[in-house]
């Protein structure tokens, strides 16, 4: 079709890793074709393997019931509300998994540099436990919010990879918190009256470490591995969520670049 005969309005094409979104408007009567303003209308479609103008990989037709544009305004309102709800879900997820959950890992890894006392105990422990428990609130909120949202839309749960990985990630995170609360206690470093003011020497610390129970040692190893796995999985889960948002709403947000 030549450019002069083209009657599409506000045509745009947007591509992501998940597919291509083509949007446009077309007059019901463009002088050549007349589309009835109400009732069933059959549209033909075709797609190729890539962006080159070659043969079609698939083609077919679909019959849709169309109605006056007043319904479009209602659809736009519903879509905007759904977008706002998804953005809130994304915000809660980013705060929990991109900010609060990595902080305990960093505090534990650099505990030697956080040697001050806070609330009567070691500073890194307060930061580690406090951020972990605070992240529980955000994870619970984002999970409850998306479940209520999909229930309201009467959509099935856990239908694609993002949802399945998300619920598994939340379950593993919950187990990590429970395991942290119910962790085996470390051996106590004993002191006597002659060394009250001298602190703990290296020999006493090494003796205490050597007396760790197998349960404590196993917990420490599994706690570290699970923590790293949660953070790495959360990074790709956030990336997956951005891809889904861009694919569904047809928007190029550039959030991928900002996130990484």
């Amino acid at each position: 079709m030549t450019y002069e005969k083209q009657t599409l309005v506000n045509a745009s094409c947007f591509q992501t890793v998940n597919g291509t979104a083509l949007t446009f408007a077309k007059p019901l009567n463009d002088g050549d074709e007349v589309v009835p303003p109400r009732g069933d209308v059959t549209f033909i479609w075709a797609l190729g393997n890539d962006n080159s103008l070659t043969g079609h990989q698939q083609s077919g037709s679909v019959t849709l019931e169309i109605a006056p544009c007043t319904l479009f305004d209602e659809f736009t309102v519903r879509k905007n509300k759904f977008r706002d709800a998804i953005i809130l879900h994304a915000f809660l997820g980013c705060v929990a998994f991109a900010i609060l959950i990595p902080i305990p890992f960093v505090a534990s890894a650099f505990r030697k540099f956080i040697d001050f006392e806070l609330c009567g105990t070691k500073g890194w422990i307060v930061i580690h436990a406090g951020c972990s428990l605070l992240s529980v609130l955000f994870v619970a909120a984002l999970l409850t919010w998306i479940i209520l949202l999909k229930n309201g839309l009467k959509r099935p749960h856990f239908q694609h990879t993002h949802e399945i990985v998300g619920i598994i990630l939340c379950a593993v995170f919950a187990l990590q918190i429970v395991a942290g609360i119910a962790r085996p206690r470390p051996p106590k470093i004993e002191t006597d009256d002659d060394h009250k003011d001298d602190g703990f020497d290296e020999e006493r610390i090494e003796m205490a470490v050597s007396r760790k129970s197998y349960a404590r040692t196993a917990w420490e190893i599994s706690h570290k591995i699970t923590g790293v796995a949660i953070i790495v999985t959360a990074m790709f889960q956030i990336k997956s969520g951005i891809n889904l948002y861009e694919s569904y709403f047809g928007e190029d947000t550039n959030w991928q670049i900002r996130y990484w």
Side-chain angles (χ1 to χ4, degrees), residues 199-217:
F200 303 143
D201 56 28
E202 294 296 330
E203 183 178 355
R204 293 188 176 198
I205 294 177
E206 291 179 0
M207 290 176 60
V209 172
S210 65
R211 292 199 304 269
K212 284 184 181 179
S213 64
Y214 290 110
R216 176 71 187 191
T217 302

Side-chain angles (χ1 to χ4, degrees), residues 5 7 26-35:
K5 293 184 177 182
T7 59
K26 178 178 174 61
L28 296 179
N29 187 349
D30 59 9
D32 186 20
E33 296 178 335
V34 179
V35 178

Side-chain angles (χ1 to χ4, degrees), residues 4-5 8 11 13 17 27 55 62 67 94 109 122 128 135 138-139 158 175 180 191 199 244 248 258:
E4 290 76 13
K5 293 184 177 182
L8 300 183
C13 184
V17 294
V62 59
C94 287
K122 297 179 180 179
H128 184 91
S135 62
F138 279 85
V139 172
F158 317 123
L175 292 176
T191 60
L244 283 175
Y248 184 84
R258 299 171 187 172

Side-chain angles (χ1 to χ4, degrees), residues 147-174:
I147 290 176
L148 293 177
L149 177 63
K150 299 202 73 173
N151 286 343
L153 296 173
K154 297 181 179 180
R155 295 186 178 182
H157 297 283
F158 317 123
Q159 296 297 304
H160 51 74
T161 304
H162 182 78
E163 295 179 344
I164 295 173
V165 173
I167 192 63
I168 294 175
L169 180 62
C170 291
V172 173
F173 172 71

Side-chain angles (χ1 to χ4, degrees), residues 16-50:
T16 68
V17 294
N18 295 321
T20 303
L22 176 64
T23 61
F24 60 86
K26 178 178 174 61
L28 296 179
N29 187 349
D30 59 9
D32 186 20
E33 296 178 335
V34 179
V35 178
R38 186 185 298 273
D40 293 338
V41 178
T42 300
F43 299 89
I44 60 174
W45 59 269
L47 57 87
N49 292 315
D50 49 39

Side-chain angles (χ1 to χ4, degrees), residues 159-254:
Q159 296 297 304
H160 51 74
T161 304
H162 182 78
E163 295 179 344
I164 295 173
V165 173
I167 192 63
I168 294 175
L169 180 62
C170 291
V172 173
F173 172 71
L175 292 176
Q176 177 82 334
I177 295 297
V178 173
I181 296 175
R183 65 190 180 279
R185 298 300 175 186
K188 183 178 180 180
I189 302 177
E190 297 181 357
T191 60
D192 51 41
D193 295 338
D194 296 333
H195 297 278
K196 281 184 178 179
D197 298 328
D198 296 338
F200 303 143
D201 56 28
E202 294 296 330
E203 183 178 355
R204 293 188 176 198
I205 294 177
E206 291 179 0
M207 290 176 60
V209 172
S210 65
R211 292 199 304 269
K212 284 184 181 179
S213 64
Y214 290 110
R216 176 71 187 191
T217 302
W219 174 84
E220 289 182 356
I221 295 174
S222 63
H223 192 68
K224 293 175 182 177
I225 294 176
T226 305
V228 173
I230 289 174
I231 294 174
V232 172
T233 304
M235 292 173 61
F236 287 95
Q237 182 72 350
I238 294 174
K239 178 179 181 296
S240 170
I242 295 174
N243 289 338
L244 283 175
Y245 178 91
E246 293 180 344
S247 176
Y248 184 84
F249 295 105
E251 299 178 3
D252 186 6
T253 61
N254 290 324

